[in-house]
Amino acid sequence: MPQPLNPVVAAVTQSIAARSRQGRARYLDLIERAADQGNGRPRLSCGNLAHGFAAAEDDKAAIRAGTAMNIGIVTAYNDMLSAHQPYGRYPEQIKLFARERGATAQVAGGVPAMCDGVTQGQAGMQLSLFSRDTIALSTAIGLSHAMFEGALLLGICDKIVPGLLIGALRFGHLPAILVPAGPMASGLANREKARVRQLYAEGKVGREELLEAEAQSYHGIGTCTFYGTANSNQMMMEMMGLHMPGSSFVPPGTRLRQELTRAATHRLTEIGHGGADWRPLGRCVDEKAIVNAVVGLLATGGSTNHVLHIPAIARAAGIAIDWEDIDRLSAVVPLIARVYPNGAGDVNAFAAAGGMPFVIRELVGAGLAHDDILTVYGKSLSEGAREPRLDDDALGWHDAPNESGNPEILRGAGEAFAPDGGMRLVRGNLGRATFKTSAVDPARWTIEAECRVFDDQDQVVAAFKAGELDRDVVVVVRWQGPAANGMPELHKLTPPLGVLQDRGFKVALVTDGRMSGASGKVPAAIHVTPEAARGGLLARLRDGDRVRLCAHEGLLEALVDATDLAARGDCAAPADGQGMGRELFALMRHHSDSAEAGGSAMLAEAGL
C-alpha cells in the first residue's frame, strides 16, 4: 500500500504554495482570461487567417474552417546535436498523426538549440545559460500567432527543455506535451572516457587518443548517455506528468519511438479547451508538480543545473521556490539511482533496470512524490509508472517491474544507495552555494585549505600544468556568474582537479559558475550567490586565504577576519568578452538576477 505523503514533502509544498499565493493567483487569472477568450483563430481578421493557412497544403481547408484543433509544433531541431537530429522528420509525422484524429498541425516556430558538448570550455559557452531565455522568447513568438489550440514541444537537452517550458507556460491556457526522441546506443563506457580525459590532462596520452575515446563515446544519433542535464530534463518531465508514460529513454529510429510520438499527438487532441478533458499546461504545472520535479532530481542524482532551471520554470507559472526548499527535500528523499557520473551504468542501463516507471512507482509508493497531479495522460502520476511496449504492433503500457533489473543502478526506496538526495545547500560569509554530495566520497565532504584564486578556468589549467597546485588547495574561480559572463560550465576543471585529488591532495572547487554533474568526485561549491560581480565576497578573496567547505555542516566560509574582509576592496572584474556573439548578450548579463532565482534577465524584467 502507498505510504501517506512524507511530512517534510508536504510541509515544503505548503510553504511554496503559501509563498506563491499572490503570484500563482495572478498567473491562473492570466490563463483563465486567455481560455475564456476561446479559440484564437475566429478572432483573426480574414487577412490574418489567410496568411496563417496559405502554405498549409493538404490541411488548408481544415485550418480555414476552424472546426478542429490546430497543433503548434515548436521544434528545437538541428542536425548538429545528436539528440535533436531525429526531430528533422517529426513535423511531417505529427501532421499525419494529427489527421488521424481529424486535427491539423503546423510548425509554429523553431528555437535555437546549442550543444554544450561542442561549446564546452570555449567562448561560445558564455551564451549557454542565456540560450534558455532566448528559447523561451522564441517559443513565445511561435505561439503568439493565435493559430493554435495546443502545442507539442520538441526538445531534449540542457537549456532547451526549460526554455520551451518557460515560453509555453506563458500560453498556459493551451494543452502542451513534451515529445522526446531518445538516447543514443551505448558506446565507450563513460568511466573509460573519463580515464582517458584524465590521462590527457596529465600529458600521458595525446590528442588523437583523446579524440578517439570521445568519438567512441559520442558516436551516433540520440541523447548523450551519461546522466547530465539533458537526461535529467527527461526525468523531470516524467515526474511532472508532461510526457507520455515511460517515453524518455526509448531509442530513436524505432517503431516504439514513433508510436509514442503518435500517442502524444493523439492525446493532445483529447485534452484541448472545449472538450470534456481540458488539461491546460498552466494547470498541470503547479506547486505539486514542481516539488515532484525536485524529488525526482534528488532521488536519481540528477544535474545541479536544475537548481537554476527549476526556480525559473516555477516563476513562469507564478510559483516561488528557492534552494532552501531543495535542501529540505534532499534531507528526506533517498538516492535510488546511480547513473554515470554517479555510478557505472548509463541511461540505457538505467532504462533496462526499470527506468522512470520504476522510479515513479517507488517514489509515489513511499509517499515522497505527489500522486494527485494533473498529468497529460491520466488521473494521477501513478499512471505514469508504466512501461510502453508494442503488443502485436499496437502500443500498450504495462506496470513497472516489481524489482529492479540491476540493483547496482536502480533500487527501491527501502534499499536506497543513500538516505538523502545528495544535494546540499552550503552557506556562510562567502554566500550560498550548491554542493552535490552524491558523487563525492563522504571522506571529502569537508575540505579546509588555503585558496588559490583565479578569474577563469584557463588560468587554473595553466597553473596545474606548471605544478603550482600540487598541494592541499581550495581552487576559487570567480567572475563566472550570470552577471559577469553568462555563467558558463567549467568542465575543463574536472580532469586536472581529479588528478590532484588522485595524487592524495585535499582539493575543492568554489565558484560562482556552473559545473553540473561533471564535477564528479571532486567536492565543489558551485553557483555561489551573490556572485563576485554582484557584491559577493568572492571578489575580496586573495591567494592564501583559508577557506572551509563542509557539506556535513552546510558551511562555506572564508576563515578571514571580518574587519579585514570589510576593509578590502573588490578585485577588478575582467573586461566583458568580445566575439562569438557575446557582446549581443550584454543586456542579459547586465539585468540578470541571481542564480538562486534562476539567473534570468527576462523573468526579472517581466516582474515574474
Side-chain angles (χ1 to χ4, degrees):
M1 290 291 292
Q3 298 295 310
L5 190 64
N6 180 282
V8 174
V9 175
V12 169
T13 307
Q14 291 165 6
S15 176
I16 293 169
R19 187 187 315 136
S20 307
R21 187 166 290 116
Q22 291 184 351
R24 182 66 175 169
R26 286 193 298 269
Y27 176 74
L28 292 177
D29 180 63
L30 173 76
I31 66 172
E32 291 290 346
R33 283 187 282 112
D36 288 343
Q37 291 172 357
N39 187 332
R41 276 183 287 158
R43 300 197 311 276
L44 295 177
S45 74
C46 292
N48 296 149
L49 188 58
H51 275 86
F53 62 65
E57 298 182 317
D58 293 345
D59 291 324
K60 183 181 291 190
I63 296 174
R64 176 175 179 162
T67 56
M69 174 183 278
N70 190 30
I71 296 168
I73 303 167
V74 182
T75 177
Y77 163 75
N78 68 49
D79 62 8
M80 181 193 66
L81 271 75
S82 61
H84 286 197
Q85 189 267 8
Y87 284 138
R89 293 186 173 178
Y90 273 43
E92 62 188 68
Q93 294 174 4
I94 289 168
K95 290 177 183 182
L96 294 173
F97 301 154
R99 289 173 195 151
E100 292 171 351
R101 291 299 177 92
T104 56
Q106 295 176 288
V107 175
V111 303
M114 68 182 294
C115 179
D116 285 10
V118 175
T119 58
Q120 206 62 257
Q122 308 299 316
M125 175 52 82
Q126 294 185 18
L127 279 57
S128 175
L129 177 60
F130 294 144
S131 77
R132 182 195 65 198
D133 289 8
T134 306
I135 291 161
L137 293 168
S138 301
T139 302
I141 290 169
L143 296 177
S144 69
H145 295 90
M147 286 287 295
F148 310 109
E149 292 78 54
L152 291 174
L153 307 177
L154 313 186
I156 292 171
C157 291
D158 298 355
K159 269 59 63 183
I160 300 157
V161 164
L164 288 168
L165 197 48
I166 290 167
L169 279 166
R170 303 314 296 176
F171 296 79
H173 62 291
L174 299 177
I177 298 178
L178 279 292
V179 181
M184 70 175 66
S186 300
L188 182 72
N190 284 296
R191 283 189 170 173
E192 175 61 16
K193 174 192 66 180
R195 186 187 72 83
V196 176
R197 284 179 175 178
Q198 193 157 310
L199 289 173
Y200 179 76
E202 295 178 274
K204 295 179 178 178
V205 300
R207 178 179 170 84
E208 187 57 38
E209 290 90 343
L210 177 64
L211 181 58
E212 180 58 26
E214 299 287 359
Q216 289 181 27
S217 179
Y218 307 115
H219 63 91
I221 295 169
T223 315
C224 303
T225 60
F226 67 92
Y227 194 49
T229 311
N231 288 315
S232 298
N233 278 336
Q234 305 313 295
M235 172 278 302
M236 290 201 317
M237 294 307 99
E238 294 223 28
M239 288 297 299
M240 297 171 77
L242 300 178
H243 274 178
M244 297 306 290
S247 61
S248 291
F249 303 122
V250 174
T254 62
R255 176 68 185 278
L256 180 56
R257 175 83 275 157
Q258 180 175 293
E259 289 305 309
L260 285 164
T261 302
R262 173 183 266 121
T265 307
H266 288 181
R267 181 58 181 159
L268 190 67
T269 67
E270 299 168 354
I271 59 175
H273 188 247
D277 195 16
W278 183 46
R279 296 175 184 236
L281 179 64
R283 287 285 184 183
C284 291
V285 180
D286 63 4
E287 297 89 343
K288 292 179 180 179
I290 291 292
V291 167
N292 280 0
V294 176
V295 168
L297 183 73
L298 297 167
T300 59
S303 169
T304 55
N305 276 329
H306 286 299
V307 305
L308 282 75
H309 297 322
I310 290 173
I313 293 167
R315 287 168 70 184
I319 299 166
I321 182 171
D322 61 30
W323 290 351
E324 292 199 26
D325 298 319
I326 297 172
D327 189 57
R328 290 174 65 193
L329 290 170
S330 184
V332 299
V333 175
L335 182 70
I336 64 172
R338 281 203 179 278
V339 189
Y340 186 84
N342 298 338
D346 65 8
V347 295
N348 291 316
F350 167 73
M356 286 308 303
F358 184 89
V359 167
I360 290 171
R361 205 254 337 263
E362 286 298 308
L363 294 176
V364 170
L368 293 165
H370 293 280
D371 194 27
D372 56 337
I373 63 171
L374 185 65
T375 69
V376 298
Y377 48 76
K379 297 179 180 178
S380 66
L381 180 62
S382 294
E383 293 186 40
R386 296 179 297 160
E387 294 181 335
R389 298 181 198 167
L390 290 179
D391 300 319
D392 296 325
D393 269 351
L395 176 63
W397 277 273
H398 300 260
D399 289 344
N402 291 323
E403 302 291 335
S404 167
N406 186 339
E408 296 303 308
I409 296 173
L410 188 59
R411 295 182 182 178
E415 299 80 39
F417 294 101
D420 66 84
M423 206 171 284
R424 305 289 176 87
L425 173 64
V426 291
R427 65 194 108 184
N429 60 2
L430 289 176
R432 294 155 68 90
T434 302
F435 187 147
K436 185 175 180 179
T437 60
S438 57
V440 178
D441 188 324
R444 297 191 176 100
W445 285 10
T446 301
I447 301 289
E448 182 180 316
E450 291 183 354
C451 73
R452 177 74 187 273
V453 184
F454 301 93
D455 290 345
D456 64 53
Q457 57 184 331
D458 290 327
Q459 293 177 354
V460 180
V461 174
F464 166 77
K465 289 180 177 178
E468 298 171 9
L469 301 179
D470 288 335
R471 55 187 172 86
D472 292 353
V473 63
V474 175
V475 172
V476 175
V477 188
R478 61 191 176 192
W479 313 114
Q480 304 300 307
N485 67 352
M487 209 178 193
E489 294 268 19
L490 303 176
H491 289 182
K492 264 188 181 179
L493 303 179
T494 304
L497 296 181
V499 169
L500 293 173
Q501 186 169 274
D502 289 349
R503 288 175 181 170
F505 299 115
K506 295 179 180 178
V507 183
L509 172 68
V510 175
T511 181
D512 48 11
R514 292 186 294 128
M515 193 73 164
S516 76
S519 55
K521 63 187 181 181
V522 177
I526 57 179
H527 315 147
V528 175
T529 302
E531 62 175 288
R534 288 286 169 80
L537 284 183
L538 287 184
R540 299 189 176 190
L541 280 183
R542 298 173 181 167
D543 288 346
D545 287 341
R546 201 158 189 84
V547 172
R548 180 177 177 82
L549 171 62
C550 180
H552 296 289
E553 301 170 17
L555 191 66
L556 176 61
E557 285 275 345
L559 304 180
V560 179
D561 180 75
T563 304
D564 183 12
L565 269 179
R568 296 179 184 178
D570 290 353
C571 295
D576 282 352
Q578 298 290 309
M580 205 61 72
R582 287 176 289 175
E583 57 277 7
L584 300 178
F585 287 75
L587 189 69
M588 288 188 170
R589 291 194 299 272
H590 296 162
H591 293 271
S592 178
D593 54 18
S594 72
E596 186 165 7
S600 172
M602 175 188 70
L603 295 174
E605 293 300 305
L608 298 176

